Amino acid sequence: MKFSNGYWLLRDGVQAAHPVEVYDITPADGQIVVHAPTHPIRHRGDLLKGPVATVRFSSPMPDVIGVSLTHFEGERPKEPRFGLAGADHDVRLTEDTLTAGSLSVRVSRDWRIDFLAGDQVLTTSAAKGMGFMSLDGRHYVREQLNLGVGQVVYGLGERFGPLVRNGQVVDIWNADAGTSSEQAYKNVPFYLTNAGYGIFVDHPGRVSFEVASEAVSRVQFSVEGQSLAYYIIYGPSPKEILHKYTLLTGRPPVPPMWSFGLWLSTSFTTSYDEKTVSGFIDGMIERDLPLSVFHFDCFWMREYNWCDFEWDPRTFPDPVGMLDRLKARDLRISVWINPYVGQRSPLFAEGVDGGYLLRRPNGDVWQWDLWQPGMALVDFTNPSAREWYASKLEALLDQGVDCFKTDFGERIPTDVVYFDGSDPERMHNYYTYLYNQTVFEVLRKRRGDGEAVVFARSATVGSQQFPVHWGGDCESTYESMAESLRGGLSLGMSGFGYWSHDIGGFEGTPDAALFKRWIAFGLLSSHSRLHGSSSYRVPWLFDEEAVDVLRIFAKLKARLMPYLHHAALQASTEGTPMMRAMALEFPDDPACTYLERQYMLGDSLLVAPVFSDDGKVSFYVPDGVWTDFFTGTEIHGGRWVTMTCDFRTVPLLVRPNTVLPLGAVDARPDYDYAEGVTLQVYQLADGARVTTTVGGSTFHTHRNGNRLQVDVDSPPSEWQVAFPDGEDPIPGTGDACTIEDVQ
C-alpha cells in the first residue's frame, strides 16, 4: 500500500506523522520503551499535542528482537494471534541499546534505529521510516527498513512471480487465484534477505509490503490499526535465519515415508468409478510403475453435496469393500475435502442447528453461490464445530481412508461473526491454520505420530506444522511449470519444508513432451502427484515413452529415499526446506542470487528442470567438480553449462565431497533404507570426512591419499561402496570397508 506520491509528496488524502526525536527511553524488565513525539519539542507548548509514538523493544529468544510501534494503546486487543515460541536467554540493556545473543538494537535520540550484529549495521529505520498514516478515515501504522546496495529480499509465502521480491508490491491476503497472478494461496508475512537478517511481521491479517517499490532503497510494511509488531531475526546465513524463524513459529514433523512415493489421482471433473480406478491401478502394476497413494478428488461425493463426507452411492455403492480391495494392493487412500458445506448437503442443517457455521452480524448463516450453491463455512473457532467436523473425518478413517487433501480455505469473508469473537480481518488468513490443524490432529490421533499427512493448498504462518502443501491450480504449459517452481522455492524461503505440485499441470491437458518434462521435475520434488482438472494423468494416455519416463524417475526417487529421508529430517529439526533455492544453499556465490529455474534437492543434488520440448537447458554450476548423476561425467563449476537432454534424463548433478546413499529397493518409498544400501562416493577430497546416517546405521567415510576407509556404527547385514565410474560396487565387510588406489 503506497502512501507517498514520489519522493516529496503524499498521495491525495494521506496524512502522516513520523517520530522525529526521542523524548525518553526506559530500559527495564528485559525491554526498552521509547516515547517519541512526531514533532520537535522546542518549548512546553509543544508538549500539548501529539501524536507520540510508543516503541517497545524486547526479545523472545537469542538473535531475535521484537519491535512494536503503537499510537493509541487503548485499542481493544484482537484475536487470533500467531502462537509463537520463546526461550530463556540473557537480554542485555543499556540506556539506548538492547542486545539478545549477537543481535542488538540501538536507538539514537535524533531518531534513528539501527539493528546491529556486533559493529555491523544490518538495517536501519531512519527518518520518516516509522509512521502513523491516515487515509479516508482509516488509520495505518507503517515501518520502512533500509536495503543496501545489492541486498535482495525473498519469501513472503508461495509467490509465483520472480523469486527476488525487490520491486514487488505484496499484499498478505490469501486468495484462490491460481499460479499466474500476484495473488497467492499461501501468504506469509516473513521475508529473509541476503544481508544476514529476516523480518517477520506479527499480524495474521492483511499486511501490505512495498519491497523496494514505493521507496526503492527500503522495504515498507504497513497494517491497518493502532499498532504494528515485527521481529528482526539474525542469521547470519539464510539457513540460520530459517532455523530461528521456524523455532519461533513452528516446524513440521517428518511426513510418513509412504507419502514420498507417487500419488495418482482421479483428477477433478473426469468421470470415474471403482472400475475406472481399478483400471488405472492395474495399468500401473502391469507397467511396473511404483504407486504409493491413490487419491479420490471431489466427485467421490455426490454433486452439490460438498461436503457431506458420504460416498456417492451411484458410483461407489460399496466404499468399504472398495477401499479394502485397494488397500490389499498395498496402497494408501486419500480423499478430497474442503471446509465448506453446500446447502444441499445433509450436514448443512446439522451445522445450522448446532451453531457450527459462520454467521453474519444479523445472525443469518453466511452463504453464497460461488463454488457450491448456498454454501456455508465451518466456524473452526467453535470447539464443538471442530469436534463435529473431525467426527465426519473419523468415520472415513474407520472405512480405510488414510489421509485428506485439504483443499480451499482462502476465500474467507470478513462480513461475519465468529463464535469466539475473533476479528474477521485477522481470521481471513488465519482460518486455514485452524482448518488444517483440525484435520491434521484427527490424523495424528488416529494414525499416530509420524503417520499424519495432508495435501493442503492454503496456508499462513505456522501452517508448516501440518505438511504437506501443494502449489495449487497451475496450467499445462512450460510457463506454468516454471511458475510452480518459483512458488515452491519461495515457500521454502518462508519456512515450509515440504512441497508438491500437479505433474503435467492442472488446467488443460499437457502434450506428451510437456508431461514427460514435468514428470522429471515432479519426481525430483519433495512430494509427487499426478493430478489434473478435466483429463486423466495416467502416462499411457500420452505415449509409451511417458510410461518409461515415469518408471525411470519413480524408481529413482525410491532409491534416493535414504538421502531424501535425511533431507526430510533437516526440514523437521532445522527448518531447512527439502527443495532449496540456490541462494539458500550458496549464499556467498553472487551468481546464485537470482536463480529460479534450478534448485538443490537436499544438501547435495542440483536439479535443473527442462522447460522446452527440445531438451535444451542452461543452468549455473557453483564452484567445484560436480558429477552428472546419470552419466558419471565430471562438470567443473563456477560457470554456466548448457545441455540437451532426452526425456529420460534431466540435469541432476551431485555436489563434490558427497557420499550419496542409494537404497536397494526401487518399488516403494518405505523400506529398510540401511539394508543393502550403496554408498556412492563423489569427488571426495583428500583428508575429507563424511558422516552418513541411513536408518539405524551411521557410516563414517574418510579419504587419506588414495585410500578410502568406511567404518560403520550398527552396520546392516549387507552394504556396499561404489563410485560413479561404472565399476562394480565393493561390498562392505561387517563394520568396515577399505578401498585402495582411489582415483
Side-chain angles (χ1 to χ4, degrees), residues 158-224:
E158 180 191 54
R159 317 209 77 84
F160 304 104
L163 183 65
V164 171
R165 300 274 89 89
N166 295 44
Q168 298 181 32
V169 179
V170 175
D171 281 334
I172 301 298
W173 194 252
N174 284 356
D176 176 1
T179 66
S180 59
S181 78
E182 80 283 0
Q183 298 178 24
Y185 303 106
K186 307 170 188 68
N187 285 270
V188 179
F190 164 76
Y191 67 84
L192 60 82
T193 71
N194 64 345
Y197 69 93
I199 297 292
F200 163 47
V201 179
D202 187 9
H203 183 80
R206 185 189 297 272
V207 184
S208 180
F209 285 87
E210 297 279 347
V211 186
S213 49
E214 181 166 8
V216 297
S217 294
R218 295 182 176 184
V219 177
Q220 173 178 296
F221 41 94
S222 59
V223 300
E224 185 176 358

Side-chain angles (χ1 to χ4, degrees), residues 175-370:
D176 176 1
T179 66
S180 59
S181 78
E182 80 283 0
Q183 298 178 24
Y185 303 106
K186 307 170 188 68
N187 285 270
V188 179
F190 164 76
Y191 67 84
L192 60 82
T193 71
N194 64 345
Y197 69 93
I199 297 292
F200 163 47
V201 179
D202 187 9
H203 183 80
R206 185 189 297 272
V207 184
S208 180
F209 285 87
E210 297 279 347
V211 186
S213 49
E214 181 166 8
V216 297
S217 294
R218 295 182 176 184
V219 177
Q220 173 178 296
F221 41 94
S222 59
V223 300
E224 185 176 358
Q226 296 293 329
S227 185
L228 167 67
Y230 68 93
Y231 294 89
I232 180 167
I233 303 168
Y234 175 60
S237 72
K239 284 186 181 180
E240 290 171 300
I241 297 168
L242 285 179
H243 177 88
K244 294 162 189 173
Y245 168 73
T246 55
L247 191 62
L248 184 67
T249 61
R251 292 184 185 141
V254 176
M257 290 301 100
W258 52 262
S259 74
F260 289 87
L262 183 62
W263 298 49
L264 176 62
S265 165
T266 58
S267 291
F268 172 31
T269 60
T270 51
S271 177
Y272 50 86
D273 54 16
E274 183 178 357
K275 181 179 179 181
T276 311
V277 170
S278 297
F280 287 164
I281 295 169
D282 288 341
M284 298 290 283
I285 294 172
E286 290 165 3
R287 293 167 174 85
D288 190 25
L289 298 172
L291 183 63
S292 293
V293 183
F294 192 86
H295 170 71
F296 290 85
D297 216 54
C298 311
F299 282 94
W300 70 273
M301 289 179 279
R302 191 165 185 156
E303 70 277 4
Y304 292 137
N305 280 25
W306 305 340
C307 284
D308 64 2
F309 305 107
E310 297 288 343
W311 294 84
D312 184 343
R314 300 167 301 178
T315 48
F316 301 107
D318 179 23
V320 174
M322 177 186 69
L323 295 183
D324 285 343
R325 289 184 285 275
L326 294 178
K327 293 174 78 68
R329 309 182 86 164
D330 201 21
L331 290 172
R332 308 285 179 155
I333 304 301
S334 164
V335 297
W336 175 94
I337 61 173
N338 70 193
Y340 312 144
V341 180
Q343 184 169 284
R344 179 174 163 178
S345 168
L347 299 191
F348 183 84
E350 280 187 40
V352 172
D353 292 342
Y356 304 147
L357 305 177
L358 275 180
R359 294 186 177 272
R360 297 183 184 275
N362 67 358
D364 293 344
V365 171
W366 191 96
Q367 293 179 263
W368 69 353
D369 288 325
L370 190 61

Side-chain angles (χ1 to χ4, degrees), residues 386-400:
R386 294 181 73 162
E387 292 177 8
W388 172 70
Y389 191 86
S391 70
K392 308 303 178 182
L393 304 183
E394 290 194 8
L396 291 167
L397 296 177
D398 289 338
Q399 293 177 1

Side-chain angles (χ1 to χ4, degrees), residues 262 501-505 510 515 518-519 522-523 528-531 537:
L262 183 62
H501 46 100
D502 292 339
I503 295 174
F515 183 65
W518 210 317
I519 285 173
L523 270 299
S528 310
R529 184 178 71 166
L530 294 167
H531 178 67
R537 290 293 181 268

Side-chain angles (χ1 to χ4, degrees), residues 95-130:
E95 181 183 354
D96 60 358
T97 302
L98 180 149
T99 300
S102 300
L103 179 64
S104 299
V105 58
R106 182 179 62 210
V107 182
S108 300
R109 288 194 169 270
D110 57 353
W111 201 254
R112 174 186 172 96
I113 299 171
D114 292 316
F115 298 97
L116 307 98
D119 295 329
Q120 177 193 1
V121 175
L122 300 173
T123 188
T124 297
S125 177
K128 294 189 177 181
M130 290 182 171

